[in-house]
Amino acid sequence: MPLPAATRLGPYEIVAPLGAGGMGEVYRARDPRLKRDIAIKVLPADVTSSPDRLARLEREATTVAGLNHPNIVVLHSIEEDGAIRFLTMELVEGRSLAELVTPGGLPLTQLLDLSIPLADALVAAHEKGVVHRDLKPANVMVTREGRVKVLDFGLAKLAQVESDVDATQAATAAAPLSDVGQIVGTVPYMAPEQIRGELVDARSDLFSLGVLIYELAGGKRPFTGQSHADVSSAILRDTPPLLTSLRADLPGELAHIVERCLEKRPRERFQTALDVLNELRSVRRTLERGVPAQQPVSDNIASIAVLPFVNRSASADDEYFSDGLADELLNVLAKIRGLRVAARTSAFHFKGKDTTIAEVGRALNVATVLEGSVRKAGPRVRISVQLVKVADGFHLWSETYDRTLDDIFTVQDDIAQSVVKELRTTLLGMAADSETIGEAKAEVSRAAMGRGTDPEAHRLFLLARHILDRYTREDTANAIERLKQALQRDPEFALAWAELGQAYSRQADVGWASVAEGYGPARKAVERALALEPDLPEAHAAMAWIQLNYDWDWRGAERSFARALERAPGNALVLRMAGALTWSPSQLERGMELCRRALEQDPLSAVAYHNLGLALYTADRFVEAEAAHRRARELGPQRSRTRAYLALTLLAQNRGEEALAEAMGVPPGGSRLWVLAIVHHRLGQGAESDAALQELIAKHADVAAYQIVEVYGARGQVDAAFEWIERAYAQRDAGLAGMRTDPHLRSLHGDPRWPAFLKKIGFEE
């Protein structure tokens, strides 16, 4: 029966009840001698009436009282008042982890802030020989200052004492499962050996820790059911989905840690809490450095990186041809289902570098690498290729082709078919029979859709792609001319039409042409590509970009991206572009998921990291956004927008001086003026902010109307912001596509003009 307020237990006065469970009732109490509040746990009668259990508890309490750790609640004493036995403990005020579990899971930084102290507490307890046995969200508190405190080590048992599963199950009646109709208790956090009534040791706590981290990360428990028996059965038999399948924004390394904790057999888990702690700290260090934390790819996963082919021709000018052949082969392989292909940006990162196959494999997270060379002399070409296994350097396959340029398409298909066949037979154990060979041939044929038939048009196409990589105004215009020449020779070249459309779109996106001058011809080129090849993923992605940024046809863009992803699910470019579509309030998590998937394919891409950083910044996840933008800056130091957004993420964390220094380092141009106007305003430097804004307007108003809107929004000048929104609308500024989630425009949300404008451009939900 609960104790009423003002009841005295020894020298202590009960203030109020705090909770109750199978192992006792907890109260807030006042210690008049030390003039402080403490927690009192009144033990149940079945413990106090058993001399053996009471003696064991007292022995354990002696050990637990010796635990001195900032993340473990301090046990002061075990006392009695008549027939009542009770524990006195440190009073923790805050919230339990059970109150922090949220659908979709916690942000990664918060997840690590909670998981690392939890593991650290277990390290301290296990080193003293104390096993918790009942680790669950309700037994972990987070103080008002954010410190993690683990409760109820006072009811743990020493590692050498046998388990009492009945008592443990009896202790689980306090915390209900989150889903309606499910069981109550802590059975979902029990290790398999606890359920079976077998010996419990420190590794049982690691299983419970894995369940707890899984729930915090994924927003739901790994093992569920409608009854105790259902949940127990799931724990004993089922393998829960990987955390990365629930949340693609989580690093694979973290998912692997949890997976190891949840192994059914204790000997297959981590063997100590210190091992778990070190791994979690490694994830945090990786996050702080901005490097992707990846789980190494298994040797038997069909994954590959296609390195740029070495140009062995007499002329260095033929490098575009050797690069282009590798690039085309990569694009074909990326469309083969079940094959994971590192994207071009990451694979070509190693061009001209003295890097080993093993280093490439680790950096790109692939099991195999394809490398080769090209020697071109007049109409003849020699192509040598070899497929190498990363784990041991073993050559799975190699071949040399001596052909003419007229035969180049057949050579490409032969290489692709051989690679697919070798990966499936050698790595996946499929039979090397005629059926396997036939399937590889058919898949490569489908993946090569849109290719031209004229060798000279093909050469011009490769040259245009090579020039586009330089990403300058002049080179983009030059590449467009090469693509036009290719299409004059081969008007049925669908891939060239799609590439031409993307080049025109780029001109509009970066202000090298007006919106109409860029997107108008872009649409015509892409429409021609789709007329020739209705299923061409590159064309559907290019059309989606036009629909998103020029037409403001959100549903049409979504359908086009879906078509592109259906045909090329592993294409990093399509994934990055599709991520932009979902930067809406209801789909922001989906956008981040697509950005993470793009990074899995393209881990050395500055653009991919920039896009992820932008999505995280939009979601107010500034620490993660900073890490992503720092990595993007490291990979692409020339990217002005990346440095500008890095400054803004620092500003959002109240690191004003660092933000200003970063903003001052942005190369001259519109991005620099834009970010300086915002940073100076936030720092109270009104004159400097005004100067930057006026220069932005004077020099870039025709292509930066939306950025001017952002500055006025960040400065809280609502009327001026709406004036420039209308100008952005008149210019069909592509920036308006992201206005719903733009943090700089939040000052506009309460104005009646805001919903009216959203409706005007088709954003009504």
Side-chain angles (χ1 to χ4, degrees):
M1 184 174 180
L3 299 175
T7 299
R8 299 191 70 86
L9 287 179
Y12 311 106
E13 180 179 330
I14 298 297
V15 176
L18 294 176
M23 292 303 289
E25 298 167 346
V26 184
Y27 298 90
R28 184 188 192 103
R30 183 71 178 170
D31 183 347
R33 297 167 299 180
L34 298 178
K35 295 182 172 54
R36 66 177 180 182
D37 283 358
I38 61 170
I40 283 180
K41 179 177 282 265
V42 177
L43 300 174
D46 61 342
V47 173
T48 58
S49 62
S50 168
D52 290 341
R53 294 186 68 184
L54 188 58
R56 188 175 70 193
L57 179 65
E58 289 175 343
R59 290 196 304 270
E60 291 175 1
T62 301
T63 302
V64 173
L67 294 178
N68 182 18
H69 191 276
N71 301 118
I72 296 177
V73 169
V74 177
L75 174 63
H76 297 312
S77 63
I78 179 168
E79 303 186 26
E80 61 182 300
D81 185 340
I84 299 177
R85 293 279 183 135
F86 57 94
L87 305 172
T88 66
M89 299 174 288
E90 171 189 6
L91 178 66
V92 180
E93 298 188 273
R95 295 189 296 169
S96 75
L97 282 191
E99 299 174 76
L100 295 180
V101 174
T102 182
L106 299 176
L108 178 57
T109 50
Q110 185 181 6
L111 177 64
L112 292 172
D113 286 345
L114 297 173
S115 302
I116 288 173
L118 265 175
D120 203 9
L122 290 179
V123 171
H126 292 172
E127 287 178 348
K128 293 286 189 179
V130 179
V131 179
H132 194 290
R133 289 194 308 157
D134 195 22
L135 191 64
K136 59 184 178 182
N139 274 341
V140 181
M141 297 290 292
V142 180
T143 70
R144 293 169 180 169
E145 297 75 30
R147 173 165 289 179
V148 171
K149 289 281 189 178
V150 183
L151 283 64
D152 274 0
F153 269 111
L155 298 182
K157 65 187 300 182
L158 297 182
Q160 66 266 30
V161 180
E162 288 189 1
S163 168
D164 183 349
V165 73
D166 292 335
T168 304
Q169 288 179 326
T172 67
L177 287 169
S178 56
D179 294 327
V180 176
Q182 292 185 326
I183 64 167
V184 296
T186 53
V187 170
Y189 303 93
M190 287 184 181
E193 60 270 22
Q194 281 180 284
I195 291 174
R196 289 192 294 263
E198 298 170 353
L199 181 67
V200 171
D201 61 22
R203 295 169 298 180
S204 305
D205 279 350
L206 301 187
F207 186 93
S208 301
L209 177 64
V211 176
L212 198 153
I213 297 175
Y214 190 106
E215 183 175 5
L216 292 174
K220 62 180 182 180
R221 295 183 175 117
F223 308 106
T224 59
Q226 297 298 316
S227 66
H228 282 282
D230 290 341
V231 178
S232 298
S233 178
I235 291 172
L236 294 173
R237 296 181 320 196
D238 296 347
T239 299
L242 270 176
L243 276 174
T244 46
S245 70
L246 301 180
R247 278 182 60 182
D249 66 308
L250 293 178
E253 187 179 347
L254 178 64
H256 179 60
I257 293 170
V258 175
E259 185 181 30
R260 282 282 306 277
C261 289
L262 296 181
E263 289 288 352
K264 306 298 184 189
R265 295 193 293 182
R267 66 182 182 182
E268 294 176 358
R269 296 175 205 149
F270 289 105
Q271 295 303 290
T272 70
L274 182 60
D275 294 333
V276 180
L277 176 63
N278 287 336
E279 292 293 325
L280 289 170
R281 284 174 170 166
S282 175
V283 174
R284 169 177 276 171
R285 287 193 299 270
T286 300
L287 176 65
E288 291 172 346
R289 291 196 304 268
V291 178
Q294 295 177 317
Q295 178 182 349
V297 167
S298 171
D299 291 345
N300 62 356
I301 291 178
S303 56
I304 187 172
V306 180
L307 299 184
F309 291 173
V310 176
N311 176 34
R312 300 198 185 283
S313 306
S315 173
D317 292 340
D318 285 328
E319 188 171 319
Y320 77 89
F321 189 80
S322 56
D323 281 356
L325 291 183
D327 187 21
E328 285 197 307
L329 183 59
L330 184 156
N331 287 332
V332 168
L333 293 174
K335 297 173 187 174
I336 305 297
R337 293 194 178 275
L339 180 60
R340 194 176 72 77
V341 182
R344 181 187 190 279
T345 306
S346 293
F348 277 48
H349 176 83
F350 299 97
K351 182 178 178 179
K353 298 180 180 178
D354 187 17
T355 310
T356 67
I357 293 295
E359 289 170 334
V360 172
R362 285 195 297 270
L364 302 186
N365 208 28
V366 294
T368 60
V369 170
L370 184 75
E371 58 181 358
S373 64
V374 177
R375 186 183 302 277
K376 183 171 170 282
R380 298 202 62 82
V381 61
R382 167 175 285 190
I383 303 173
S384 299
V385 287
Q386 54 189 8
L387 181 65
V388 184
K389 190 174 181 181
V390 169
D392 53 16
F394 182 75
H395 284 55
L396 299 175
W397 167 81
S398 64
E399 188 64 77
T400 297
Y401 301 85
D402 284 302
R403 305 290 175 86
T404 66
L405 290 177
D406 290 341
D407 207 22
I408 194 66
F409 305 116
T410 303
V411 173
Q412 288 178 307
D413 289 350
D414 285 348
I415 296 173
Q417 291 165 20
S418 297
V419 168
V420 173
K421 178 178 69 68
E422 288 299 324
L423 290 178
R424 288 179 173 172
T425 57
T426 306
L427 297 184
L428 303 184
M430 297 175 63
D433 52 22
S434 58
E435 182 178 353
T436 301
I437 296 172
E439 287 179 358
K441 185 175 182 179
E443 287 186 85
V444 169
S445 178
R446 287 193 296 270
M449 70 170 65
R451 194 168 58 190
T453 57
D454 182 87
E456 176 60 14
H458 177 253
R459 186 191 70 81
L460 289 165
F461 172 73
L462 296 183
L463 180 58
R465 277 190 164 179
H466 184 77
I467 296 171
L468 281 169
D469 276 350
R470 299 170 190 160
Y471 216 98
T472 68
R473 182 175 193 153
E474 294 74 18
D475 285 316
T476 301
N478 189 4
I480 288 174
E481 289 306 310
R482 296 292 185 274
L483 289 167
K484 287 180 177 179
Q485 294 170 16
L487 289 164
Q488 286 175 354
R489 294 187 60 92
D490 187 356
E492 308 297 302
F493 196 167
L495 272 172
W497 283 111
E499 193 75 28
L500 180 61
Q502 290 183 354
Y504 279 132
S505 292
R506 175 192 290 185
Q507 288 185 316
D509 289 341
V510 297
W512 297 335
S514 70
V515 172
E517 291 170 339
Y519 283 119
R523 180 193 304 283
K524 291 180 180 178
V526 174
E527 286 175 344
R528 183 64 185 275
L530 289 171
L532 293 168
E533 286 287 355
D535 290 328
L536 189 65
E538 291 88 347
H540 282 292
M543 181 56 76
W545 196 249
I546 296 168
Q547 292 168 318
L548 177 66
N549 293 292
Y550 183 65
D551 298 341
W552 300 329
D553 177 8
W554 321 114
R555 291 184 176 84
E558 187 172 3
R559 288 192 296 269
S560 294
F561 275 131
R563 289 284 297 276
L565 287 171
E566 179 184 357
R567 294 294 178 179
N571 188 300
L573 175 61
V574 175
L575 287 166
R576 288 203 310 266
M577 294 167 69
L581 175 69
T582 53
W583 288 348
S584 66
S586 62
Q587 296 189 34
L588 190 55
E589 288 295 331
R590 171 65 173 162
M592 285 187 282
E593 175 190 345
L594 290 169
C595 289
R596 291 283 188 187
R597 284 174 55 191
L599 270 173
E600 289 177 5
Q601 305 299 117
D602 205 1
L604 300 178
S605 168
V607 178
Y609 271 105
H610 173 85
N611 288 355
L612 176 61
L614 181 57
L616 290 164
Y617 174 77
T618 302
D620 295 339
R621 291 163 61 169
F622 302 123
V623 174
E624 295 167 85
E626 178 190 346
H629 277 124
R630 287 194 183 280
R631 182 60 170 157
R633 188 185 66 172
E634 177 185 343
L635 293 168
Q638 77 284 359
R639 293 183 57 82
S640 298
R641 294 285 286 180
T642 293
R643 295 203 66 171
Y645 268 104
L646 176 55
L648 292 176
T649 62
L650 294 169
L651 188 68
Q653 298 173 71
N654 297 315
R655 293 154 64 184
E657 293 305 316
E658 293 178 69
L660 181 58
E662 193 66 40
M664 294 295 289
V666 176
S671 293
R672 186 175 192 269
L673 295 169
W674 165 73
V675 71
L676 281 174
I678 294 174
V679 173
H680 279 310
H681 170 75
R682 175 71 176 273
L683 296 180
Q685 299 163 354
E688 292 86 347
S689 177
D690 288 344
L693 174 58
Q694 292 310 310
E695 187 176 353
L696 178 64
I697 293 173
K699 294 183 177 180
H700 304 284
D702 56 336
V703 294
Y706 184 74
Q707 283 68 43
I708 295 168
V709 173
E710 289 184 298
V711 174
Y712 279 123
R715 289 164 39 133
Q717 295 172 272
V718 176
D719 290 339
F722 276 108
E723 176 187 340
W724 278 91
I725 278 182
E726 293 298 336
R727 294 184 65 167
Y729 177 80
Q731 296 175 9
R732 299 201 72 80
D733 193 309
L736 291 172
M739 66 181 296
R740 288 176 294 177
T741 54
D742 192 332
H744 305 114
L745 304 190
R746 290 173 183 168
S747 62
L748 280 60
H749 290 188
D751 192 288
R753 288 170 288 185
W754 177 258
F757 187 80
L758 291 182
K759 184 175 182 180
K760 180 177 179 178
I761 62 172
F763 271 142
E764 54 184 328
E765 297 293 338

